Amino acid sequence: MKKFSFLMFLLLGTFAVKAQNVTTAVNFPKVDTSPLDVVYYPLNTTKSKDAIAPVMRVLYSRPQKKGREIFGVLEQFDKVWRFGANENTEIQFFKTVTIAGKKIKAGRYSIFAIPSKDKWTIIINKQNDKWGAFTYDQQNDVLRTDVVVNKIEKMIEAFSITFIDAPEGANLVAAWDNTQVFLPIAFKK
C-alpha cells in the first residue's frame, strides 16, 4: 500500500509539473473597445503613500463617441441606459451617504440613467453584475433623482466619470459628447 501511495504521489506530482509548463498559446479576449475604468473618491485613494480610506468607487466601461450622435440617437431619450457600456456601471459606498435627501447604506449598487434633453433621472439600484440595462428591474431601485443637463463646449470622446469636492461631500460628474451632469453625494467628512 505504501508503494502504491508513493507511486500515486509521484504520478500526481508529474502531472502538476507538466501542467505548469504548458507551451501552447492561450486565447485571451481582445482588448475591449469600451475599456473598464475605475474612479475613487478621494481621487488619490489608491495612489497615495498615506493610508486613505475611500468613501466611494465607481467601476464603469467607457464607450467612445466615434463620430456618432450620442444622446437622443445612440442612447435614446427617455429610456433606461446602463450609464456606460458593457456591464452595468457599479458604485460602491464604503460608508453611508445621502443623495437627494435619502440615506444610502454602505454597499455595492448599480447606476442607471434615463437621459432626456433637459434632465437626466439618475437611478441607484441593488442589481449588480448584469450586462447592460436589458434586465433592469425598477423594483430594485434604491433611489431615483433628477439632475440638470449641462451642455459643454469641449466635446468628450470617451464617456467619463470623476468626482469633485463639494461642501457637503462630493459631486459625481459624468460627461460624454457635449453633455455633462452632476450628482451631489453628501457624507460626513
Side-chain angles (χ1 to χ4, degrees):
M1 185 67 175
K2 288 183 182 181
K3 285 183 182 180
F4 179 74
S5 296
F6 180 71
L7 284 173
M8 288 305 292
F9 175 75
L10 286 177
L11 186 61
L12 289 174
T14 303
F15 285 135
V17 169
K18 285 192 180 260
Q20 294 175 7
N21 292 322
V22 173
T23 58
T24 57
V26 175
N27 291 325
F28 291 100
K30 293 179 182 179
V31 175
D32 199 301
T33 57
S34 299
L36 184 66
D37 207 347
V38 60
V39 62
Y40 281 86
Y41 183 85
L43 293 176
N44 62 342
T45 296
T46 59
K47 296 177 182 172
S48 176
K49 292 180 181 178
D50 299 324
I52 297 175
V55 176
M56 53 196 149
R57 174 183 75 178
V58 176
L59 298 170
Y60 70 110
S61 291
R62 301 184 67 184
Q64 314 294 306
K65 179 172 169 54
K66 297 181 183 177
R68 302 174 289 185
E69 191 173 340
I70 302 301
F71 296 107
V73 178
L74 179 66
E75 299 305 336
Q76 296 177 7
F77 286 142
D78 304 317
K79 292 198 175 184
V80 175
W81 172 51
R82 65 184 115 188
F83 209 63
N86 304 332
E87 295 88 348
N88 49 12
T89 294
E90 178 185 305
I91 189 164
Q92 181 172 6
F93 300 114
F94 294 93
K95 64 184 190 178
T96 299
V97 300
T98 302
I99 301 174
K102 179 165 182 171
K103 287 189 186 255
I104 300 175
K105 294 179 182 178
R108 286 178 58 224
Y109 302 91
S110 56
I111 305 177
F112 294 94
I114 302 173
S116 297
K117 190 173 184 178
D118 300 320
K119 69 170 181 147
W120 284 14
T121 301
I122 303 294
I123 303 164
I124 306 295
N125 186 282
K126 291 185 274 188
Q127 184 175 344
N128 285 308
D129 306 315
K130 299 294 181 188
W131 184 266
F134 304 110
T135 61
Y136 164 76
D137 185 351
Q138 187 173 347
Q139 292 182 17
N140 290 320
D141 286 357
V142 174
L143 168 91
R144 279 180 172 232
T145 188
D146 291 338
V147 296
V148 176
V149 169
N150 300 288
K151 292 297 177 190
I152 53 177
E153 290 183 23
K154 183 181 176 188
M155 191 271 301
I156 306 294
E157 174 64 28
F159 177 64
S160 299
I161 296 175
T162 193
F163 292 103
I164 59 172
D165 288 321
E168 300 295 319
N171 290 326
L172 181 150
V173 183
W176 194 17
D177 194 6
N178 65 345
T179 300
Q180 181 172 274
V181 296
F182 292 79
L183 177 65
I185 302 173
F187 51 86
K188 291 182 182 177
K189 290 188 173 191

